[in-house]
Amino acid sequence: MALTTLFYCIPAFGEAQSSANTGQGVAEPLLMLTLENPPLAYTHEDGSVTGVLVQVIREAARRTGHEVEFRIDPWKRVIREVSEGNADAAFNAGVTEERKSWGMYGETVLIDETFVFFSRGPKALTRTLDEAAQLRVGIQLGYYYGERFDQMLKDRPFHAVEVNQTIPRNLRLLGADRIDVFVGDLLPTLYYIKKLGLEDEISIVTEKESGLPLVVSTSDTYVAFSRRSVDPAYVETFDKALQSVKASDTFDTILGSYQLNVPELPETP
């Protein structure tokens, strides 16, 4: 999805560099990997990789004099390929001690992942989930929802917990009244609600206290560069470029093009 309002800002970050390793000559494409997760990153019907984060990263890299090739892989393969230096970066990656052993992170957050409750029709719950014993909860396999909610899953205060692999599956269970709430990543879940035509059927659960969306957890994600294939100096250069993109209206312009009904969120989850 081309952006016609972006301007070239390469001079602000020095002359174009040939590769993330050498910093000389004509830039070679960087190879960046992530998982299929629309609208953040996904495979277009023509086979190309696109998405909100793909467009943001492409613009940031362009401002450093680089092009980027993107590839969608299962997440375990993404981590393996970048850690071994077969790819230059993994994006939409959280920070862990294990990942810092092979990856380099800038200071600029790529995106704040926000997990909220979704329900069939309007629903309000207390911030402390006093209603837990009455709730049938849908979650996604392999997702980390933050320390507080993951502890609740271990303590099992809910009436039932259903684990599924995909967002569409959980949305169908909501529609069939098989679960009461689904804990979903905000932007991807809104994307599928729109794609499946469920805007009038599925709602974001609100807090009884504030009327704002009931946020389960938030998680900062970044671009994690491979220590084996990328010069640390380039990580700093890219970070400044990404910061400039995030400071402008570029991100909002890109996200707005997907026409998702993104609500106002509470300042503190």
Side-chain angles (χ1 to χ4, degrees):
M1 196 175 299
L3 293 177
T4 58
T5 58
L6 299 180
F7 297 92
Y8 285 88
C9 300
I10 293 174
F13 303 100
E15 297 181 358
Q17 300 175 356
S18 74
S19 71
N21 286 311
T22 65
Q24 299 175 354
V26 180
E28 297 178 358
L30 295 162
L31 176 59
M32 296 196 184
L33 312 183
T34 194
L35 78 167
E36 187 89 12
N37 192 26
L40 304 179
Y42 62 98
T43 306
H44 192 268
E45 59 187 19
D46 65 5
S48 64
V49 178
T50 188
V52 175
L53 300 185
V54 170
Q55 292 176 257
V56 168
I57 290 171
R58 181 178 285 121
E59 172 58 16
R62 185 192 64 78
R63 296 184 184 193
T64 72
H66 278 272
E67 294 182 353
V68 183
E69 292 180 357
F70 295 94
R71 197 174 79 208
I72 300 291
D73 279 331
W75 189 244
K76 287 184 178 180
R77 185 181 302 168
V78 169
I79 297 301
R80 184 179 69 248
E81 291 288 275
V82 178
S83 66
E84 293 176 355
N86 298 322
D88 296 307
F91 64 96
N92 205 13
V95 179
T96 67
E97 290 303 314
E98 187 277 329
R99 291 176 188 173
K100 286 194 291 186
S101 69
W102 54 258
M104 298 176 289
Y105 293 80
E107 296 182 359
T108 304
V109 174
L110 181 61
I111 192 171
D112 294 316
E113 287 187 331
T114 302
F115 291 94
V116 302
F117 282 114
F118 291 85
S119 62
R120 188 179 70 164
K123 183 185 289 290
L125 299 171
T126 59
R127 189 178 295 127
T128 52
L129 292 179
D130 298 336
E131 308 86 350
Q134 288 78 49
L135 293 176
R136 299 167 297 168
V137 180
I139 62 174
Q140 276 187 266
L141 180 67
Y143 272 64
Y144 174 67
Y145 295 106
E147 183 177 351
R148 170 177 170 259
F149 192 77
D150 272 29
Q151 186 60 52
M152 291 188 73
L153 292 175
K154 293 176 183 177
D155 295 341
R156 300 184 179 183
F158 300 108
H159 180 72
V161 175
E162 174 120 13
V163 183
N164 295 284
Q165 290 191 340
T166 67
I167 292 173
R169 172 62 179 166
N170 277 292
L171 293 177
R172 285 192 287 269
L173 291 177
L174 279 178
D177 197 28
R178 293 268 304 278
I179 56 176
D180 299 305
V181 292
F182 161 54
V183 186
D185 191 354
L186 178 63
L187 294 181
T189 305
L190 290 177
Y191 172 89
Y192 280 109
I193 288 173
K194 179 179 175 64
K195 182 178 180 179
L196 298 172
L198 299 174
E199 294 99 326
D200 296 330
E201 184 175 348
I202 305 298
S203 302
I204 295 176
V205 175
T206 58
E207 295 179 348
K208 287 183 177 179
E209 295 86 348
S210 68
L212 294 174
L214 178 54
V215 175
V216 175
S217 66
T218 60
S219 177
D220 295 341
T221 74
Y222 300 81
V223 179
F225 288 92
S226 174
R227 293 186 183 274
R228 293 195 174 191
S229 67
V230 179
D231 190 316
Y234 181 74
V235 178
E236 183 176 352
T237 300
F238 177 87
D239 191 62
K240 291 179 180 178
L242 179 59
Q243 185 178 38
S244 76
V245 172
K246 294 293 294 292
S248 69
D249 62 356
T250 302
F251 182 89
D252 290 338
T253 299
I254 294 170
L255 181 59
S257 69
Y258 286 83
Q259 299 181 331
L260 303 177
N261 188 20
V262 182
E264 176 188 358
L265 296 172
E267 292 185 4
T268 304

